[in-house]
Amino acid sequence: MNFFSLALNNIKKKFGSYLIYLISTIFAVTIFSIFCSIYFNPQFSEYRFGAGKITVLFRAAAIAIVIFSSVFVLYSNKFFLKTRKKEIAIYSLVGMKKSQIGRMMFYENIIMGLIATVCGTILGIVFSRFFSMILLNLMADGTAVTFSVQWQAVITTVAAFLILFIISSLNAYGIIYRYKLIELLSANKESEKLPKYSVMGGILAIVLIILGYTIAMVMDVNEGGLHLMMPALVILVFIVIGTLLLFKNFIPMAMLALKKNRAFYYKTENIISISQIVYRIKANSKMLSFIAITCAITITMMSATFSMYRALGSIMPYYSPFSYVSKNIDDQQFNEMLEVIQQTGEVKVTATNQFEIIKIQLQNDDYSIETENNPGMMVDGYIMSQSTYQSIIKDTKVKIGTFHNMKTDFNMDLKDGECYFIDGNTKKDYCENLTGSAMNLQFLHETDAYNIVGVSLHKYIGFLDLYLKPTMVLSDAAYNQYLEQAGADDMVKFTGIMFDNPAGSENTVAALNKIVPENIQSSSTLGIANLSYIGVYHSIFSLYGAYVFIGLFIGILFLLASGSIMYYKQIIEAQEEVSRYDILKKIGMSRDEIKKSIAKQLAIVFGLSLTVGLLHSAFALLTYNRTMDLGGKELPTLINAGIIVGIYIIIYCFFYFLSVNSYMRIAWGGKNNS
């Protein structure tokens, strides 16, 4: 029998042990293959977000999958070799050279890699159309996808993972030379010493984690991305180092302190479980830290994308309060638009509104644009009449509310010298205390002061031309005085149309965009001509639908890989503890008592990583929720996170119960499985 046949025979005998690993790696290859298929599919190259193509997201996701898969495969191989130390020692005793044992291990890894690569690639091809349909559905663009094999995706997938598994196999070959025969034979007889820990290290762990949480909660999330990079990096470093020190020092210290509680400790199953676990936590500190951080990343990523996606439908009026709106069109174009809508027959017009606003400058000692953070600055803005604002509220069916981007509390008859202030900022930081103060209005080199009698964040125009500028609503009489002095360059005219079914107006909007010249600035912002509900809907959902799709599958991959690592680590420890459990059986411990002890021991291991991970993700999501002011209010991020956490815990518990049963089978059966 040659070495290749021997390797193949070993895999057949131990296929059950390899199964969880194989499932995880096949899933990784499958997801990578699907993402590559989408990346190379010409149909998806047409989708854009801002200035970039949607396929760029999938290229980045595919790279992330390969990196994470590399860590997982190399880590898993390390565990497998630990479980087979005695087997390798026996091969040495019967005369096999290390080079021969290494070659056999190399073949085993290559065979497993080939199985995973072939199965994953085939599954990726088979399911690529199905998952592409899911992606299109999430992107609110139907489900029409033509099945085709993207050979570039196949070649990329096979090449990437074959290289990965070759590197992994060479690593397995090299590890054989690191062990001496005596180390292999006495692998399970190494005595465990009382774990040492640093009190200062334990205190530092808590301090670093608290500092990381504090910085996350107090940093100004309104600053630009570059300004957020430094505090974000500091938070990341503090949390990662703090987590590692937590498992290396603080938790062993706490477990040893728990042993001093006699009432708790001197229970049969607690003596065993606590005594066992206190030695394991410190030894596994890196793995447990990795699992906790991965858990936090997975839950945060999936919760954030899922939460934003769920909120998109409800925040559409923020981007486009009218079904269709354009600016500075003449009466002839307006009549053509109404005629086209009728001829298309797709939707019916429920309201039209042609209104104008006047460009002005305004100033208040306490007011500033969010991005400038300079109270008292002179700000570009607009004025509109009371009757115009009331008609907009009526036509767009705005709900009543205060300090909200899609609601207003305007319900008053303004007098001369009074104004209602509509803040162009997205948050109330600079407007909530303006009521009762004076707003200085500058127009044609003249300045007038108006008493602010009410404020709002209502975005009455939406996102057209980035018109997120403040507006002063004046009485009709006061507005008309400025109107008489205004020239053509001082005014902006808008035409808003409301449909009975804006979500079904795609053909109508396409026809209207042929009449109304495309607005370059708004088009570059969201990939749309002028501004329409359906245009914004497709643009936003195409981006966040892709985020949800990528976040979902990468999250599942992270979870499967993390669960597999935890599972295999427990199997290794179960095999190392067989002799101890044989002694416990001989002194009279029942099967139920041993199983209860094992369940408690593994509950601590699995529970600690999960608890720390959930705590990290909770603060990350609280910070994220502050950045998503509008979406966070409409459907709070933490409520959506609860759904993701529930699903995560269910899958995580599956690995826990699987580990308990496998651990018990090895411990009670007294088999080393080597």
Side-chain angles (χ1 to χ4, degrees), residues 172-185:
Y173 182 91
I175 287 176
I176 298 300
Y177 287 88
R178 300 176 196 171
Y179 292 114
K180 296 179 180 179
L181 181 59
I182 188 65
E183 292 176 345
L184 296 171
L185 287 171

Side-chain angles (χ1 to χ4, degrees), residues 414-428:
L414 295 171
K415 300 175 183 178
D416 290 341
E418 294 180 343
C419 77
Y420 183 84
F421 184 69
I422 305 175
D423 191 357
N425 295 322
T426 57
K427 298 183 180 181
K428 64 180 181 179

Side-chain angles (χ1 to χ4, degrees), residues 332-360:
Q332 181 181 349
Q333 289 175 311
F334 178 61
N335 291 328
E336 285 182 35
M337 291 167 65
L338 294 179
E339 187 176 340
V340 164
I341 294 170
Q342 187 175 8
Q343 289 176 352
T344 305
E346 189 177 43
V347 293
K348 293 181 180 180
V349 175
T350 58
T352 61
N353 195 324
Q354 292 182 286
F355 61 95
E356 56 196 12
I357 55 179
I358 300 174
K359 301 175 185 178
I360 53 98

Side-chain angles (χ1 to χ4, degrees), residues 363-364 367 412 414 417-422 431 433-440 449-456 472:
Q363 184 272 335
N364 179 282
Y367 183 74
M412 59 188 71
L414 295 171
E418 294 180 343
C419 77
Y420 183 84
F421 184 69
I422 305 175
C431 72
N433 297 318
L434 290 183
T435 302
S437 64
M439 181 65 71
N440 298 311
Y450 286 85
N451 180 43
I452 301 173
V453 294
V455 295
S456 171
M472 294 172 61

Side-chain angles (χ1 to χ4, degrees), residues 25-45 54-63 65-66 69 116-136 138-139 145-158 160-161 545-546 548-554 556-557:
T25 49
I26 288 175
F27 185 81
V29 177
T30 302
I31 297 304
F32 181 85
S33 176
I34 290 171
F35 284 8
C36 286
S37 296
I38 293 172
Y39 175 75
F40 288 110
N41 191 333
Q43 182 175 347
F44 287 95
S45 64
I54 209 78
T55 49
V56 174
L57 293 175
F58 287 91
R59 180 172 60 185
I63 293 171
I65 289 172
V66 169
S69 298
T117 303
V118 171
C119 292
T121 304
I122 292 173
L123 288 172
I125 293 171
V126 171
F127 289 104
S128 62
R129 181 172 181 268
F130 173 72
F131 286 110
S132 295
M133 290 169 64
I134 292 177
L135 173 59
L136 282 181
L138 289 171
M139 293 166 63
V145 180
T146 303
F147 176 78
S148 61
V149 177
Q150 304 297 325
W151 290 108
Q152 287 175 294
V154 173
I155 294 170
T156 302
T157 303
V158 171
F161 278 90
V548 171
F549 184 86
I550 292 171
L552 175 66
F553 285 102
I554 290 184
I556 294 173
L557 174 61

